[in-house]
Amino acid sequence: MTTITATIENEKDVKVVQEILERFGIPYQIDESAENYVFSAEQIADFELTKQEFLAGKSTAKDWEDIKTIN
């Protein structure tokens, strides 16, 4: 097995590389820097509310594979 690591700056290029890897049936993993994510106070509050609702049994968790197919 060989591992290739590439740093891709352009989001459009990331999608192209993903498509190529998928067409060839090559498994891949995308690691993105946490610095790329900046959440607003409103988003953080929503995350906290969702967490509290889940812990209180008011909502359920979904499998990540199911979530990916929605988008």
Side-chain angles (χ1 to χ4, degrees):
M1 178 173 82
T2 301
T3 299
I4 299 172
T5 302
T7 303
I8 304 172
E9 300 290 330
N10 185 330
E11 186 65 29
K12 290 179 183 178
D13 293 341
V14 172
K15 296 199 180 290
V16 170
V17 171
Q18 280 180 283
E19 288 177 19
I20 292 168
L21 294 173
E22 289 171 2
R23 286 182 189 171
F24 282 98
I26 299 171
Y28 63 90
Q29 176 179 336
I30 297 176
D31 297 317
E32 296 180 6
S33 171
E35 296 170 4
N36 294 337
Y37 299 104
V38 179
F39 297 108
S40 68
E42 182 180 331
Q43 288 172 313
I44 292 171
D46 186 54
F47 294 149
E48 289 296 325
L49 177 62
T50 302
K51 176 183 172 184
Q52 291 304 319
E53 288 175 348
F54 175 75
L55 293 174
K58 296 179 182 178
S59 67
T60 59
K62 293 183 180 179
D63 186 80
W64 179 241
E65 293 302 318
D66 294 336
I67 294 169
K68 286 192 317 187
T69 59
I70 292 170
N71 296 325

